[in-house]
Short mmCIF file of all heavy atoms in Angstrom, two decimals:
data_model
loop_
_atom_site.label_atom_id
_atom_site.label_comp_id
_atom_site.label_asym_id
_atom_site.label_seq_id
_atom_site.Cartn_x
_atom_site.Cartn_y
_atom_site.Cartn_z
N ARG A 111 8.44 -267.95 55.54
CA ARG A 111 8.70 -267.20 54.36
C ARG A 111 9.03 -268.12 53.12
O ARG A 111 8.76 -267.92 51.93
CB ARG A 111 9.81 -266.32 54.59
CG ARG A 111 10.25 -265.36 53.44
CD ARG A 111 11.42 -264.51 53.87
NE ARG A 111 12.62 -265.34 54.00
CZ ARG A 111 13.87 -264.76 54.36
NH1 ARG A 111 13.92 -263.56 54.70
NH2 ARG A 111 14.80 -265.60 54.45
N TYR A 112 9.65 -269.33 53.50
CA TYR A 112 10.09 -270.27 52.41
C TYR A 112 8.70 -271.03 51.95
O TYR A 112 8.87 -271.72 50.96
CB TYR A 112 11.12 -271.33 52.95
CG TYR A 112 12.40 -270.68 53.41
CD1 TYR A 112 12.99 -271.18 54.55
CD2 TYR A 112 12.89 -269.66 52.68
CE1 TYR A 112 14.24 -270.57 55.04
CE2 TYR A 112 14.19 -269.11 53.15
CZ TYR A 112 14.82 -269.56 54.24
OH TYR A 112 15.90 -268.97 54.64
N PHE A 113 7.78 -271.01 52.76
CA PHE A 113 6.64 -271.88 52.41
C PHE A 113 6.09 -271.78 50.94
O PHE A 113 5.98 -272.71 50.27
CB PHE A 113 5.37 -271.55 53.47
CG PHE A 113 4.17 -272.27 53.04
CD1 PHE A 113 4.00 -273.68 53.22
CD2 PHE A 113 3.09 -271.63 52.52
CE1 PHE A 113 2.84 -274.34 52.93
CE2 PHE A 113 1.95 -272.27 52.27
CZ PHE A 113 1.86 -273.57 52.55
N TRP A 114 5.94 -270.48 50.56
CA TRP A 114 5.25 -270.31 49.17
C TRP A 114 6.29 -270.73 48.02
O TRP A 114 5.79 -271.13 47.09
CB TRP A 114 4.79 -268.87 49.17
CG TRP A 114 3.58 -268.56 49.91
CD1 TRP A 114 3.59 -267.82 50.98
CD2 TRP A 114 2.25 -269.15 49.80
NE1 TRP A 114 2.29 -267.88 51.64
CE2 TRP A 114 1.55 -268.64 50.80
CE3 TRP A 114 1.76 -269.99 48.84
CZ2 TRP A 114 0.18 -268.99 51.08
CZ3 TRP A 114 0.37 -270.32 48.96
CH2 TRP A 114 -0.42 -269.86 50.04
N TRP A 115 7.55 -270.44 48.34
CA TRP A 115 8.49 -270.92 47.32
C TRP A 115 8.36 -272.35 47.16
O TRP A 115 8.56 -272.94 45.98
CB TRP A 115 9.83 -270.48 47.77
CG TRP A 115 10.10 -268.89 47.58
CD1 TRP A 115 10.30 -268.00 48.51
CD2 TRP A 115 10.20 -268.27 46.24
NE1 TRP A 115 10.35 -266.81 47.96
CE2 TRP A 115 10.48 -266.84 46.51
CE3 TRP A 115 10.23 -268.65 44.98
CZ2 TRP A 115 10.58 -265.96 45.56
CZ3 TRP A 115 10.43 -267.79 43.92
CH2 TRP A 115 10.53 -266.36 44.29
N LEU A 116 8.29 -273.06 48.36
CA LEU A 116 8.27 -274.51 48.26
C LEU A 116 6.85 -275.12 47.62
O LEU A 116 6.97 -276.07 46.89
CB LEU A 116 8.30 -275.10 49.69
CG LEU A 116 9.62 -274.93 50.52
CD1 LEU A 116 9.48 -275.36 51.89
CD2 LEU A 116 10.74 -275.67 49.74
N VAL A 117 5.75 -274.35 47.88
CA VAL A 117 4.62 -274.66 47.15
C VAL A 117 4.72 -274.44 45.62
O VAL A 117 4.33 -275.35 44.86
CB VAL A 117 3.42 -273.81 47.66
CG1 VAL A 117 2.19 -273.88 46.69
CG2 VAL A 117 3.05 -274.11 49.06
N LEU A 118 5.38 -273.35 45.23
CA LEU A 118 5.64 -273.18 43.74
C LEU A 118 6.38 -274.30 43.20
O LEU A 118 6.27 -274.75 42.07
CB LEU A 118 6.27 -271.83 43.63
CG LEU A 118 6.64 -271.36 42.20
CD1 LEU A 118 5.26 -271.31 41.32
CD2 LEU A 118 7.33 -270.07 42.06
N PHE A 119 7.56 -274.80 43.98
CA PHE A 119 8.40 -275.74 43.50
C PHE A 119 7.60 -277.14 43.33
O PHE A 119 7.80 -277.80 42.41
CB PHE A 119 9.64 -275.97 44.49
CG PHE A 119 10.48 -277.13 44.24
CD1 PHE A 119 11.33 -277.05 43.17
CD2 PHE A 119 10.20 -278.30 45.06
CE1 PHE A 119 12.19 -278.22 43.00
CE2 PHE A 119 11.03 -279.38 44.74
CZ PHE A 119 11.95 -279.46 43.78
N GLY A 120 6.74 -277.46 44.34
CA GLY A 120 6.11 -278.75 44.46
C GLY A 120 5.05 -278.85 43.25
O GLY A 120 5.07 -280.15 42.77
N TRP A 121 4.50 -277.82 42.93
CA TRP A 121 3.56 -277.98 41.73
C TRP A 121 4.22 -277.54 40.39
O TRP A 121 3.90 -278.14 39.38
CB TRP A 121 2.29 -277.14 42.04
CG TRP A 121 1.48 -277.69 43.04
CD1 TRP A 121 1.41 -277.12 44.27
CD2 TRP A 121 0.72 -278.93 43.19
NE1 TRP A 121 0.53 -277.83 45.05
CE2 TRP A 121 0.12 -278.99 44.43
CE3 TRP A 121 0.47 -279.95 42.22
CZ2 TRP A 121 -0.66 -280.02 44.77
CZ3 TRP A 121 -0.40 -280.90 42.52
CH2 TRP A 121 -1.00 -280.97 43.83
N GLY A 122 5.15 -276.49 40.38
CA GLY A 122 5.71 -275.95 39.22
C GLY A 122 6.63 -276.90 38.60
O GLY A 122 6.71 -277.00 37.39
N PHE A 123 7.54 -277.40 39.38
CA PHE A 123 8.58 -278.23 38.88
C PHE A 123 8.17 -279.37 38.01
O PHE A 123 8.48 -279.79 36.87
CB PHE A 123 9.59 -278.71 39.87
CG PHE A 123 10.93 -279.26 39.44
CD1 PHE A 123 11.90 -278.58 39.07
CD2 PHE A 123 10.99 -280.70 39.45
CE1 PHE A 123 13.09 -279.07 38.69
CE2 PHE A 123 12.20 -281.28 38.96
CZ PHE A 123 13.23 -280.51 38.75
N PRO A 124 7.13 -280.25 38.59
CA PRO A 124 6.61 -281.34 37.78
C PRO A 124 5.88 -280.76 36.51
O PRO A 124 5.95 -281.41 35.51
CB PRO A 124 5.59 -282.03 38.84
CG PRO A 124 6.16 -281.60 40.03
CD PRO A 124 6.54 -280.21 39.96
N THR A 125 5.17 -279.73 36.64
CA THR A 125 4.40 -279.10 35.48
C THR A 125 5.30 -278.84 34.38
O THR A 125 5.12 -279.08 33.17
CB THR A 125 3.72 -277.85 35.81
OG1 THR A 125 2.80 -278.23 36.92
CG2 THR A 125 2.94 -277.26 34.73
N LEU A 126 6.59 -278.28 34.67
CA LEU A 126 7.50 -277.82 33.66
C LEU A 126 7.98 -279.14 32.94
O LEU A 126 7.93 -279.16 31.68
CB LEU A 126 8.75 -277.13 34.29
CG LEU A 126 9.87 -276.84 33.35
CD1 LEU A 126 9.40 -275.95 32.32
CD2 LEU A 126 10.95 -276.19 34.24
N PHE A 127 8.46 -280.03 33.68
CA PHE A 127 9.06 -281.28 32.98
C PHE A 127 7.99 -282.06 32.35
O PHE A 127 8.21 -282.80 31.29
CB PHE A 127 9.78 -282.11 33.99
CG PHE A 127 11.26 -281.66 34.22
CD1 PHE A 127 11.45 -280.67 35.26
CD2 PHE A 127 12.25 -282.14 33.49
CE1 PHE A 127 12.62 -280.15 35.41
CE2 PHE A 127 13.51 -281.62 33.68
CZ PHE A 127 13.76 -280.72 34.65
N THR A 128 6.78 -282.16 32.77
CA THR A 128 5.64 -282.84 32.15
C THR A 128 5.31 -282.20 30.91
O THR A 128 5.08 -282.89 29.83
CB THR A 128 4.45 -282.95 33.04
OG1 THR A 128 4.76 -283.57 34.40
CG2 THR A 128 3.25 -283.77 32.33
N LEU A 129 5.39 -280.84 30.77
CA LEU A 129 5.02 -280.17 29.52
C LEU A 129 6.12 -280.45 28.56
O LEU A 129 5.90 -280.60 27.30
CB LEU A 129 4.93 -278.53 29.88
CG LEU A 129 3.57 -278.19 30.59
CD1 LEU A 129 3.78 -276.72 30.87
CD2 LEU A 129 2.44 -278.46 29.72
N ILE A 130 7.40 -280.45 28.97
CA ILE A 130 8.44 -280.70 28.06
C ILE A 130 8.34 -282.20 27.48
O ILE A 130 8.54 -282.50 26.23
CB ILE A 130 9.79 -280.51 28.70
CG1 ILE A 130 10.09 -279.06 29.12
CG2 ILE A 130 10.87 -281.08 27.82
CD1 ILE A 130 11.31 -278.90 29.92
N TRP A 131 8.03 -283.13 28.37
CA TRP A 131 7.75 -284.44 28.02
C TRP A 131 6.57 -284.62 26.99
O TRP A 131 6.67 -285.40 25.99
CB TRP A 131 7.52 -285.36 29.12
CG TRP A 131 7.27 -286.79 28.91
CD1 TRP A 131 8.08 -287.76 28.54
CD2 TRP A 131 5.98 -287.44 28.85
NE1 TRP A 131 7.55 -288.90 28.38
CE2 TRP A 131 6.14 -288.75 28.55
CE3 TRP A 131 4.64 -287.08 29.05
CZ2 TRP A 131 5.22 -289.75 28.43
CZ3 TRP A 131 3.62 -288.03 28.92
CH2 TRP A 131 3.93 -289.28 28.66
N ILE A 132 5.53 -283.84 27.23
CA ILE A 132 4.44 -283.87 26.26
C ILE A 132 4.82 -283.37 24.95
O ILE A 132 4.37 -283.98 23.87
CB ILE A 132 3.22 -283.05 26.83
CG1 ILE A 132 2.50 -283.65 28.02
CG2 ILE A 132 2.19 -282.83 25.72
CD1 ILE A 132 1.62 -282.75 28.81
N LEU A 133 5.56 -282.30 24.82
CA LEU A 133 6.01 -281.85 23.45
C LEU A 133 6.93 -282.79 22.84
O LEU A 133 6.82 -283.03 21.59
CB LEU A 133 6.78 -280.36 23.70
CG LEU A 133 5.88 -279.32 24.17
CD1 LEU A 133 6.70 -278.06 24.58
CD2 LEU A 133 4.82 -278.91 23.21
N ALA A 134 7.85 -283.42 23.60
CA ALA A 134 8.78 -284.30 23.00
C ALA A 134 8.02 -285.60 22.38
O ALA A 134 8.23 -286.04 21.31
CB ALA A 134 9.76 -284.74 24.07
N LYS A 135 7.00 -286.11 23.26
CA LYS A 135 6.22 -287.17 22.67
C LYS A 135 5.35 -286.95 21.40
O LYS A 135 5.22 -287.66 20.51
CB LYS A 135 5.29 -287.73 23.82
CG LYS A 135 5.99 -288.26 25.08
CD LYS A 135 6.70 -289.66 24.68
CE LYS A 135 5.73 -290.85 24.56
NZ LYS A 135 6.31 -292.09 24.44
N PHE A 136 4.76 -285.72 21.54
CA PHE A 136 3.90 -285.20 20.39
C PHE A 136 4.65 -285.05 19.07
O PHE A 136 4.13 -285.36 18.01
CB PHE A 136 3.20 -283.91 20.78
CG PHE A 136 2.21 -283.31 19.81
CD1 PHE A 136 0.98 -283.90 19.67
CD2 PHE A 136 2.63 -282.35 18.94
CE1 PHE A 136 0.07 -283.48 18.71
CE2 PHE A 136 1.70 -281.86 17.87
CZ PHE A 136 0.51 -282.46 17.83
N TYR A 137 5.91 -284.49 19.19
CA TYR A 137 6.62 -284.11 17.93
C TYR A 137 7.63 -285.27 17.50
O TYR A 137 7.87 -285.44 16.38
CB TYR A 137 7.43 -282.92 18.06
CG TYR A 137 6.55 -281.66 18.10
CD1 TYR A 137 6.29 -280.93 19.38
CD2 TYR A 137 5.99 -281.11 16.90
CE1 TYR A 137 5.46 -279.88 19.32
CE2 TYR A 137 5.15 -280.01 16.90
CZ TYR A 137 4.90 -279.30 18.11
OH TYR A 137 4.13 -278.25 18.05
N PHE A 138 8.03 -286.03 18.41
CA PHE A 138 9.10 -287.08 18.12
C PHE A 138 8.69 -288.50 18.28
O PHE A 138 9.37 -289.42 17.83
CB PHE A 138 10.35 -286.82 18.91
CG PHE A 138 10.98 -285.35 18.68
CD1 PHE A 138 10.94 -284.44 19.74
CD2 PHE A 138 11.31 -284.92 17.45
CE1 PHE A 138 11.27 -283.17 19.59
CE2 PHE A 138 11.77 -283.67 17.30
CZ PHE A 138 11.77 -282.69 18.33
N GLU A 139 7.69 -288.75 19.22
CA GLU A 139 7.40 -290.22 19.51
C GLU A 139 5.87 -290.39 19.78
O GLU A 139 5.52 -290.88 20.75
CB GLU A 139 8.14 -290.62 20.64
CG GLU A 139 8.34 -292.06 20.85
CD GLU A 139 9.27 -292.33 22.12
OE1 GLU A 139 8.88 -292.29 23.27
OE2 GLU A 139 10.50 -292.72 21.83
N ASP A 140 5.07 -289.92 18.86
CA ASP A 140 3.73 -289.95 18.98
C ASP A 140 3.20 -291.33 18.61
O ASP A 140 2.57 -291.52 17.59
CB ASP A 140 2.97 -288.74 18.07
CG ASP A 140 1.57 -288.68 18.41
OD1 ASP A 140 1.06 -289.19 19.51
OD2 ASP A 140 0.93 -287.86 17.71
N THR A 141 3.37 -292.30 19.41
CA THR A 141 2.94 -293.69 19.17
C THR A 141 2.01 -294.24 20.35
O THR A 141 2.18 -293.77 21.53
CB THR A 141 4.08 -294.62 19.08
OG1 THR A 141 4.89 -294.60 20.33
CG2 THR A 141 5.04 -294.24 17.95
N ALA A 142 1.04 -294.97 19.90
CA ALA A 142 0.08 -295.56 20.82
C ALA A 142 -0.49 -294.50 21.79
O ALA A 142 -0.76 -293.50 21.51
CB ALA A 142 0.83 -296.82 21.67
N CYS A 143 -0.63 -294.84 23.14
CA CYS A 143 -1.12 -293.97 24.07
C CYS A 143 -0.13 -293.34 24.93
O CYS A 143 -0.33 -292.80 26.15
CB CYS A 143 -2.10 -294.74 24.91
SG CYS A 143 -3.80 -294.72 24.26
N TRP A 144 1.13 -293.21 24.45
CA TRP A 144 2.27 -292.64 25.28
C TRP A 144 2.55 -293.44 26.47
O TRP A 144 3.18 -292.85 27.43
CB TRP A 144 2.00 -291.22 25.58
CG TRP A 144 1.84 -290.22 24.35
CD1 TRP A 144 2.04 -290.62 23.06
CD2 TRP A 144 1.52 -288.88 24.44
NE1 TRP A 144 1.93 -289.60 22.27
CE2 TRP A 144 1.61 -288.37 23.07
CE3 TRP A 144 1.40 -287.91 25.41
CZ2 TRP A 144 1.29 -287.10 22.72
CZ3 TRP A 144 1.16 -286.54 25.03
CH2 TRP A 144 1.12 -286.25 23.74
N ASP A 145 1.89 -294.63 26.62
CA ASP A 145 2.15 -295.49 27.87
C ASP A 145 3.39 -296.36 27.50
O ASP A 145 3.65 -297.18 28.50
CB ASP A 145 0.94 -296.19 28.24
CG ASP A 145 0.58 -297.13 27.01
OD1 ASP A 145 0.64 -296.76 25.91
OD2 ASP A 145 -0.04 -298.18 27.38
N ILE A 146 4.04 -296.38 26.50
CA ILE A 146 5.07 -297.24 26.10
C ILE A 146 6.41 -296.57 26.18
O ILE A 146 6.70 -295.60 25.31
CB ILE A 146 5.03 -297.98 24.80
CG1 ILE A 146 3.62 -298.78 24.84
CG2 ILE A 146 6.10 -298.83 24.41
CD1 ILE A 146 3.21 -299.29 23.37
N ASN A 147 7.28 -296.77 27.21
CA ASN A 147 8.47 -296.01 27.43
C ASN A 147 9.77 -296.78 27.31
O ASN A 147 10.79 -296.40 27.62
CB ASN A 147 8.48 -295.29 28.68
CG ASN A 147 7.17 -294.35 28.94
OD1 ASN A 147 7.15 -293.43 28.19
ND2 ASN A 147 6.39 -294.71 29.76
N GLN A 148 9.62 -298.12 26.95
CA GLN A 148 10.81 -298.97 26.85
C GLN A 148 11.68 -298.43 25.65
O GLN A 148 11.47 -298.29 24.60
CB GLN A 148 10.28 -300.36 26.48
CG GLN A 148 11.48 -301.29 26.41
CD GLN A 148 10.93 -302.75 26.12
OE1 GLN A 148 9.82 -302.99 26.05
NE2 GLN A 148 11.91 -303.68 26.08
N GLY A 149 13.02 -298.09 26.10
CA GLY A 149 13.96 -297.55 25.18
C GLY A 149 13.69 -296.24 24.72
O GLY A 149 14.44 -295.72 23.81
N SER A 150 12.88 -295.39 25.34
CA SER A 150 12.57 -294.10 24.84
C SER A 150 13.58 -293.16 25.73
O SER A 150 13.50 -293.07 26.95
CB SER A 150 11.12 -293.77 25.17
OG SER A 150 10.91 -292.28 25.00
N PRO A 151 14.31 -292.34 24.92
CA PRO A 151 15.11 -291.29 25.68
C PRO A 151 14.36 -290.21 26.46
O PRO A 151 14.80 -289.69 27.32
CB PRO A 151 16.00 -290.70 24.62
CG PRO A 151 15.17 -290.93 23.30
CD PRO A 151 14.41 -292.20 23.56
N TYR A 152 13.02 -290.01 25.88
CA TYR A 152 12.38 -288.96 26.49
C TYR A 152 11.74 -289.42 27.79
O TYR A 152 11.21 -288.44 28.60
CB TYR A 152 11.21 -288.60 25.48
CG TYR A 152 11.68 -288.21 24.14
CD1 TYR A 152 11.44 -289.14 23.01
CD2 TYR A 152 12.37 -287.15 23.94
CE1 TYR A 152 11.83 -288.88 21.83
CE2 TYR A 152 12.94 -286.85 22.62
CZ TYR A 152 12.61 -287.75 21.64
OH TYR A 152 13.14 -287.43 20.31
N TRP A 153 11.74 -290.60 28.16
CA TRP A 153 11.33 -291.11 29.49
C TRP A 153 12.02 -290.55 30.60
O TRP A 153 11.52 -290.39 31.68
CB TRP A 153 11.21 -292.56 29.45
CG TRP A 153 10.75 -293.25 30.60
CD1 TRP A 153 11.35 -294.29 31.43
CD2 TRP A 153 9.52 -292.95 31.42
NE1 TRP A 153 10.61 -294.61 32.46
CE2 TRP A 153 9.52 -293.83 32.56
CE3 TRP A 153 8.51 -292.07 31.28
CZ2 TRP A 153 8.43 -293.81 33.38
CZ3 TRP A 153 7.42 -292.06 32.01
CH2 TRP A 153 7.44 -293.01 33.21
N TRP A 154 13.28 -290.14 30.37
CA TRP A 154 14.12 -289.55 31.32
C TRP A 154 13.64 -288.15 31.74
O TRP A 154 14.05 -287.74 32.85
CB TRP A 154 15.63 -289.43 30.87
CG TRP A 154 16.34 -290.72 30.93
CD1 TRP A 154 16.44 -291.68 29.93
CD2 TRP A 154 16.84 -291.39 32.05
NE1 TRP A 154 17.14 -292.76 30.23
CE2 TRP A 154 17.41 -292.66 31.67
CE3 TRP A 154 17.01 -291.06 33.37
CZ2 TRP A 154 17.94 -293.55 32.53
CZ3 TRP A 154 17.62 -291.86 34.26
CH2 TRP A 154 18.14 -293.08 33.78
N LEU A 155 12.81 -287.46 31.10
CA LEU A 155 12.18 -286.22 31.45
C LEU A 155 11.23 -286.37 32.55
O LEU A 155 11.05 -285.51 33.39
CB LEU A 155 11.40 -285.61 30.30
CG LEU A 155 12.34 -285.10 29.08
CD1 LEU A 155 11.47 -284.74 27.83
CD2 LEU A 155 13.06 -283.85 29.55
#
């Protein structure tokens, strides 16, 4: 019974935080190829 909830967590949790990180980079730190995270507070997402 827990299986499908775990599947949703395994794919959904990373999707949520990755989308938030994308929005943060796009609006506040849209530099280079987004591969530079030194000193970036959004990297904690």
Side-chain angles (χ1 to χ4, degrees):
R111 186 181 65 185
Y112 298 142
F113 172 73
W114 291 109
W115 288 107
L116 294 174
V117 170
L118 180 62
F119 171 80
W121 293 107
F123 192 80
T125 300
L126 174 63
F127 277 88
T128 303
L129 287 175
I130 296 173
W131 179 76
I132 290 172
L133 292 174
K135 294 291 283 187
F136 182 78
Y137 286 105
F138 306 112
E139 201 176 75
D140 191 10
T141 58
C143 274
W144 296 359
D145 59 325
I146 299 171
N147 300 298
Q148 183 177 359
S150 171
Y152 308 111
W153 181 229
W154 282 99
L155 290 168

